[in-house]
Structure formats: C-alpha cells, structure tokens
Amino acid sequence: MSESCQTRRMYGHDYAVPGTYEVTIVVAGRMPVFGEIVGTCKTDGEKPRLKPSLLGHAVLDNEIPKIHYYYPMVDIWQVCLMPDHLHLIVRINEPLPKGKHLGIIIGAFKGGVSRAWWEMGTTVAAASASEQHTPLFEPNYNDHILMRDGQLENWKHYLRDNPLRYMMRREYPDLFRRALCIKIGGTRYSAFGNLHLLRQPEKHQVMFHRRTNGVPTEDTEFWRTESLRLISSAQSGDVLVTPGVSECEKRIKNMALEQKLRLIHVQADPIGRYWKPERSRFEACAHGSLLILAPWPEDMPSFTSDYERFHYLNELARTICDIGHTTEVVVQGLRLAHSGR
C-alpha cells in the first residue's frame, strides 16, 4: 500500500461517536520491523503465522492495550500484525471525550510504537533511526467504516488469513499468473493475475449504462460524483470489479490500470493456455494489482445483442463483488484462503 493509499475518510462522518472501523497502518518503506512469517500452506506443516520481533511483541503486549487503558470506551476487537504493516478492528462503544476522535487515538498509538522502536535500537536500521527520530510509519492511515451486513465478519476472516495468503504467494506463485480452471460459486472461469483479489473484503462493482436519462453518462453529474467515489475507494486499497463495456466503465478501468489500483476485469474473450494480456494489463498483473477473469465459453449463453452481453458480464461482476469469507473459490483443486482452511 503506497502513501497515497494511507487515507480514507468519509466526508461528514463523526469519528467520535460509536462505530466499528478497520484500520490499516503501514511502516515507511515497508521495512519488516514487526517480525517474519513462518510456517507453510501445506497441510502437514505448521500453519503460517507471524513470529514477532522485539518490536512486534512490544506492539502486541504494550502499545495496543494502552488504547483501552486511556480510552475505556474503545475496544480492539481484532489485531493482525504483519512484518511491515498492521490491521486493527476498532470498536468505539460510547462517545469519545470532547475533542477526541479516532484519528487522535491512532496518532497516539503510532507515536507510542515509534518511541518503542527508537528506544530499542536493536538493529542497525533502528539504531540509525533512533538518532534522527525518523518516522516509523507512513503518514496518516487507512480506515473502513464497517456498517454493511456481513462486512465485519468478512474483515475478521480476511485478517485471520493474512499470514496464509502471504505464504501462499511464496509457495504457489502460479496464483499470480494463470489458472485455466477456477470455480466461483459454481461458475467456471479462466484467470490471469492476482487471484487473492477475490478475497479482498471491499469490492465495488463499476457499472454504468451508456446513457442516463437520454444523455451520455460521461456528461452527467452522476458520472462525476460516482467516478470520484470509485477511484477514491480504490486508492484506499479496495478492489474495483468491471467488464469495462460501456464508455464510463472503460474510463474507470483505464484509470485503475494507469494508477496500479486493485482491479478485477471480467472479459468475454476466453483465456487459453498461451493467452497473454496486452502490455498495460500484463504490467498490472505483474504488479499484483489486476485479476482478469473469463467465463468458460461452454458456460456462456448466446448473445443476441451487445445489451445482453453487457448485462451478463455485469451480473458476473456483481456475483464476484458478493464473494465473502464463506464463498467457495477453488483453483484447480486448491481452495483459496478462507475460514474453511
């Protein structure tokens, strides 16, 4: 996650009132200061987990408990510590004291972790940073407000499986290239790119008709506001899902490719054994920000018009957006990480 992804604020939302949030905080330069992932994805080995460093232990044992100590109305429902970033599910049970809000709590937490890092000086990097008090974290942080049905459970399972996905990237590199048979809720696809995007909890369908109230959609206020919302969500780490059929869908798809934002592109053209995307999509796949899905030709209906094709592909996109932690996703016999493992 780049620095540009380290902000997501809902305009007009009061971050001092009761609510539930997923918060992501990233170490500057992606330094693996919190520990290392150990274990294996193989069924006969130890399940992947983080082996914390001294700083990792300080975060888990000292800094996170301080949040509830100083703010008794705040609970940390879940923690996912990774080598170079961390996730928190934060629950505010009662209104915060006057002048306080979620940003102040996270800022104080980041400050406490940074001070612990400076004081340790147990590595060359930490010792050098401690002399200059170099910031440990990227500026700001990213948050999701968890309000929709199932959203909290999806995030809990996603965070629980983070070490597993990390190790899968090492042990199964083909998950980031090509899969000729993947089943999603009973539908068969071929795929090229980062299959782990399917398990990202926040996915947004990009669907625009060619015309809105008789006017080309790209000339409407709806397009201007909705395109800003979608790109802002993607810049915060969410996944956009679209077939890119209409003009506005193509514009969003191309913006996501240019900015290396997370994108699932559903296409009608089949993906064969030797098929490769054009340069822009290939580079996005190599970057890990793109997954291309193509339903098997045997499973596709016969289209009598472009309109039918548009709605069929967008219905597939909607189904992909609905993938949660219990949805069956099988890649040539390998089940993608979810609660069933």
Side-chain angles (χ1 to χ4, degrees):
M1 185 177 297
S2 65
E3 181 174 322
S4 63
C5 294
Q6 282 295 289
T7 181
R8 178 192 180 94
R9 304 291 173 269
M10 180 179 286
Y11 180 76
H13 180 77
D14 186 349
Y15 284 86
V17 300
T20 308
Y21 306 89
E22 185 278 327
V23 172
T24 302
I25 308 170
V26 177
V27 175
R30 287 288 193 173
M31 294 185 296
V33 295
F34 296 135
E36 62 176 328
I37 301 296
V38 297
T40 179
C41 299
K42 298 176 175 60
T43 56
D44 57 350
E46 180 186 10
K47 185 177 180 181
R49 61 178 179 84
L50 180 82
K51 181 180 179 182
S53 63
L54 287 176
L55 180 61
H57 279 295
V59 170
L60 296 171
D61 300 337
N62 301 325
E63 300 305 325
I64 288 176
K66 286 180 183 178
I67 295 177
H68 181 72
Y69 177 82
Y70 288 109
Y71 296 92
M73 70 290 297
V74 177
D75 289 325
I76 304 302
W77 278 0
Q78 190 163 332
V79 178
C80 175
L81 191 63
M82 297 294 285
D84 57 7
H85 67 282
L86 71 150
H87 302 273
L88 304 173
I89 294 182
V90 181
R91 173 63 189 175
I92 299 176
N93 296 304
E94 301 174 11
L96 292 172
K98 185 176 181 180
K100 304 295 183 180
H101 53 76
L102 179 65
I104 289 178
I105 294 173
I106 299 303
F109 169 75
K110 290 171 65 176
V113 176
S114 295
R115 284 189 294 274
W117 184 56
W118 296 332
E119 291 169 0
M120 284 180 180
T122 55
T123 67
V124 173
S128 175
S130 67
E131 296 174 0
Q132 304 175 15
H133 280 199
T134 302
L136 174 59
F137 296 105
E138 287 189 359
N140 221 319
Y141 63 95
N142 179 47
D143 75 81
H144 289 92
I145 306 172
L146 307 185
M147 297 184 294
R148 300 192 307 272
D149 289 343
Q151 194 178 19
L152 173 61
E153 287 305 310
N154 282 343
W155 269 109
K156 284 182 176 180
H157 286 272
Y158 181 81
L159 298 186
R160 199 171 296 146
D161 281 335
N162 242 1
L164 177 59
R165 283 189 299 273
Y166 181 98
M167 193 58 68
M168 288 179 80
R169 287 195 287 269
R170 290 185 180 179
E171 297 183 346
Y172 298 97
D174 286 344
L175 288 178
F176 288 80
R177 290 196 284 271
R178 185 191 311 275
L180 296 180
C181 180
I182 170 174
K183 291 184 179 180
I184 303 172
T187 300
R188 295 178 297 179
Y189 296 85
S190 299
F192 193 99
N194 182 0
L195 290 171
H196 290 294
L197 296 180
L198 291 169
R199 286 295 182 200
Q200 219 286 338
E202 301 291 338
K203 296 184 287 292
H204 304 270
Q205 182 177 4
V206 180
M207 180 179 177
F208 293 95
H209 289 273
R210 288 187 171 89
R211 302 181 73 84
T212 301
N213 297 325
V215 178
T217 299
E218 59 267 28
D219 296 333
T220 64
E221 181 64 26
F222 169 72
W223 155 252
R224 285 186 283 273
T225 57
E226 185 66 1
S227 61
L228 287 174
R229 182 190 71 82
L230 289 167
I231 293 299
S232 175
S233 296
Q235 288 173 340
S236 296
D238 296 354
V239 176
L240 304 180
V241 184
T242 184
V245 175
S246 69
E247 173 61 28
C248 290
E249 289 174 3
K250 290 177 183 176
R251 292 188 183 189
I252 294 292
K253 181 194 74 173
N254 291 334
M255 281 189 277
L257 291 173
E258 290 169 4
Q259 298 181 38
K260 295 293 190 294
L261 305 177
R262 291 174 172 178
L263 173 69
I264 297 175
H265 182 209
V266 184
Q267 66 177 37
D269 296 335
I271 295 175
R273 185 173 300 277
Y274 301 107
W275 178 92
K276 284 187 179 180
E278 75 284 357
R279 180 174 179 178
S280 63
R281 289 196 297 167
F282 184 85
E283 290 178 348
C285 287
H287 181 264
S289 57
L290 175 64
L291 171 64
I292 304 169
L293 290 176
W296 279 23
E298 298 91 327
D299 294 351
M300 290 179 63
S302 297
F303 303 119
T304 59
S305 67
D306 288 342
Y307 185 78
E308 286 186 359
R309 174 174 168 270
F310 168 84
H311 277 280
Y312 172 76
L313 292 175
N314 269 294
E315 179 60 23
L316 293 181
R318 184 196 64 76
T319 301
I320 291 165
C321 284
D322 289 341
I323 290 175
H325 65 274
T326 59
T327 307
E328 186 83 341
V329 179
V330 178
V331 185
Q332 295 179 326
L334 174 67
R335 182 173 297 169
L336 278 185
H338 72 82
S339 60
R341 274 196 66 97

